[in-house]
Amino acid sequence: MIKFLDLKAINKSFEPELSQTVKRVIDSGWYLLGNEVKSLELEYSQYIGTKHCICVGNGLDALRLILKAYIEMGVMEEGDEIIVPANTYIASILAITDNKLIPVLIEPEISTYNIDPFKIEEKITERTKGIMIVHLYGQNSMHVEIQRLVDKFNLKLIEDNAQAAGAFYGKKRTGSLGDAAGHSFYPGKNLGALGDGGAVTTNDDELATVIRAIANYGSTRKYINDYQGLNSRLDEIQAAVLRVKLKRLDDDNRKRQEIAQYYIENITNPEIILPKVSNFVNSHIWHLFIIRTKQREKLQQYLTDNEIQTLIHYPIPPHKQNAYKVWKDLSFPITEQIHNEVLSLPISPIISKGEMRIIVKCLNNYLT
């Protein structure tokens, strides 16, 4: 069986350093708010290209904390609107509604699956305070039109960079393009921990200070609580693991890009729609390799029968989830088409050339 993502093998490729690092932290006797987290925050902020990095419990918390901090700062208030892609993982939207802000859903481009920048302006109102772009599947979603709207309407630009650590927009990395960005270190991400983890990056000094306090019970000094905060902190073991993996992230992303290029150049089955890549160098770091087909379940079963594991990211769009029953009558046909047709192929730094050839041959032999 060719696994969709063999996390055990990926982590083994970092040995013995990974185990030695974990043992070092265990032996230190210090497990929260220590030097490993401080070092990761410095190294990751330098990698992304921002002044600040605040490590938090997970990627959803990273986005929640950005918006919660803006409310505490008086930049936003309950009932304000945030532009967000209709085609995204639900966490992007949960972060907005959790803060009693209103998501305004925008259809994606069918070619990139990212937000269509030219469908945003018509949805901007006097209550719009921000645009949350999502670099979905690992591809940069920033666009000159989005920057024009941010400048024209004085909006906050928030990046959901959960799937795109290492991608570029021009010469800048995603996660440094807007006012703040949320990152995820979920184990399956290109930069993955051994459990949950996340971070916020920003160049805004005040925002960074408020987020750091809110994430620590609303406290800047022990037992002094300035905000009604929450507990969202990355632990020392996860930080140490991420520091080991960060050193290899660019090399691992390049391997993903090579695999994606092989797929694109060699999958020739006309029943399979391949992903499109923007013109910017390294604009896609291929967290996921997404294909589309009209008969997805049939293709997925065929691949399973041939011992190739695939996943669906994502089968149900947010506006069709029970969590958002108020949206059940809304229609986003492009988003719905994507969610009905997408299938994720195996892609990771440890997939062999032989496995790549098997996957391509199998897809090219598929008959509807």
Side-chain angles (χ1 to χ4, degrees), residues 49-188:
T50 55
K51 288 174 64 178
H52 303 283
C53 170
I54 306 97
C55 287
V56 298
N58 54 69
L60 172 56
D61 277 2
L63 296 174
R64 290 171 64 209
L65 286 159
I66 292 168
L67 296 171
K68 187 171 178 62
Y70 276 136
I71 291 171
E72 292 286 358
M73 293 163 62
V75 175
M76 298 176 186
E77 61 183 24
E78 292 183 10
D80 283 343
E81 297 170 351
I82 305 294
I83 300 287
V84 67
N87 181 48
T88 184
Y89 182 57
I90 199 169
S92 312
I93 295 166
L94 289 171
I96 298 170
T97 57
D98 184 65
N99 282 288
K100 295 183 172 57
L101 300 168
I102 300 173
V104 177
L105 306 183
I106 306 294
E107 283 270 57
E109 295 178 301
I110 191 65
S111 59
T112 66
Y113 310 128
N114 278 323
I115 193 168
D116 188 334
F118 297 102
K119 291 182 178 177
I120 296 175
E121 186 165 11
E122 64 187 34
K123 297 295 185 180
I124 293 175
T125 73
E126 61 182 15
R127 294 307 302 268
T128 305
K129 293 298 174 66
I131 300 175
M132 182 183 290
I133 58 174
V134 182
H135 306 301
L136 198 63
Y137 309 142
Q139 181 162 205
N140 159 67
S141 64
M142 187 54 178
H143 191 280
V144 290
E145 173 67 5
I146 294 175
Q147 189 62 57
R148 185 186 73 82
L149 296 175
V150 166
D151 295 338
K152 178 180 178 180
F153 295 99
N154 191 29
L155 304 176
K156 294 298 182 184
L157 179 61
I158 300 161
E159 297 173 78
D160 182 339
N161 201 49
Q163 299 186 7
F168 280 88
Y169 172 66
K171 294 182 179 180
K172 296 180 69 175
R173 290 193 194 269
T174 57
S176 70
L177 307 176
D179 295 282
H183 306 254
S184 171
F185 302 134
Y186 180 78

Side-chain angles (χ1 to χ4, degrees), residues 103-321:
V104 177
L105 306 183
I106 306 294
E107 283 270 57
E109 295 178 301
I110 191 65
S111 59
T112 66
Y113 310 128
N114 278 323
I115 193 168
D116 188 334
F118 297 102
K119 291 182 178 177
I120 296 175
E121 186 165 11
E122 64 187 34
K123 297 295 185 180
I124 293 175
T125 73
E126 61 182 15
R127 294 307 302 268
T128 305
K129 293 298 174 66
I131 300 175
M132 182 183 290
I133 58 174
V134 182
H135 306 301
L136 198 63
Y137 309 142
Q139 181 162 205
N140 159 67
S141 64
M142 187 54 178
H143 191 280
V144 290
E145 173 67 5
I146 294 175
Q147 189 62 57
R148 185 186 73 82
L149 296 175
V150 166
D151 295 338
K152 178 180 178 180
F153 295 99
N154 191 29
L155 304 176
K156 294 298 182 184
L157 179 61
I158 300 161
E159 297 173 78
D160 182 339
N161 201 49
Q163 299 186 7
F168 280 88
Y169 172 66
K171 294 182 179 180
K172 296 180 69 175
R173 290 193 194 269
T174 57
S176 70
L177 307 176
D179 295 282
H183 306 254
S184 171
F185 302 134
Y186 180 78
K189 295 296 194 289
N190 293 30
L191 179 62
L194 300 183
D196 272 326
V200 175
T201 54
T202 183
N203 288 315
D204 186 327
D205 295 341
E206 182 184 3
L207 182 68
T209 299
V210 175
I211 288 173
R212 192 176 294 281
I214 294 173
N216 187 35
Y217 298 97
S219 174
T220 53
R221 290 181 295 157
K222 196 167 186 178
Y223 303 131
I224 305 296
N225 304 86
D226 299 313
Y227 308 101
Q228 295 180 24
L230 48 94
N231 176 19
S232 183
R233 301 176 300 199
L234 188 71
D235 68 68
E236 289 286 282
I237 289 178
Q238 301 302 343
V241 166
L242 290 164
R243 291 182 67 200
V244 171
K245 293 188 172 186
L246 179 59
K247 292 182 288 187
R248 213 178 77 186
L249 180 57
D250 283 342
D251 286 339
D252 285 349
N253 283 343
R254 276 190 287 272
K255 291 177 183 176
R256 288 174 176 269
Q257 289 166 337
E258 290 169 3
I259 295 165
Q261 185 175 356
Y262 181 84
Y263 283 161
I264 290 171
E265 291 177 352
N266 291 280
I267 297 172
T268 57
N269 191 324
E271 299 298 323
I272 294 170
I273 300 170
L274 296 170
K276 297 289 191 293
V277 186
S278 60
N279 293 324
F280 294 100
V281 175
N282 295 323
S283 67
H284 202 325
I285 48 84
W286 302 100
H287 170 57
L288 298 172
F289 188 94
I290 303 292
I291 60 173
R292 287 183 17 242
T293 185
K294 296 293 184 183
Q295 297 183 7
R296 176 177 63 195
E297 284 69 27
K298 182 180 178 183
L299 175 58
Q300 186 174 39
Q301 186 60 54
Y302 164 79
L303 292 170
T304 300
D305 292 343
N306 283 275
E307 299 194 316
I308 298 170
Q309 186 181 38
T310 60
L311 293 179
I312 298 172
H313 296 89
Y314 302 95
I316 304 172
H319 71 281
K320 294 297 184 181
Q321 298 282 0

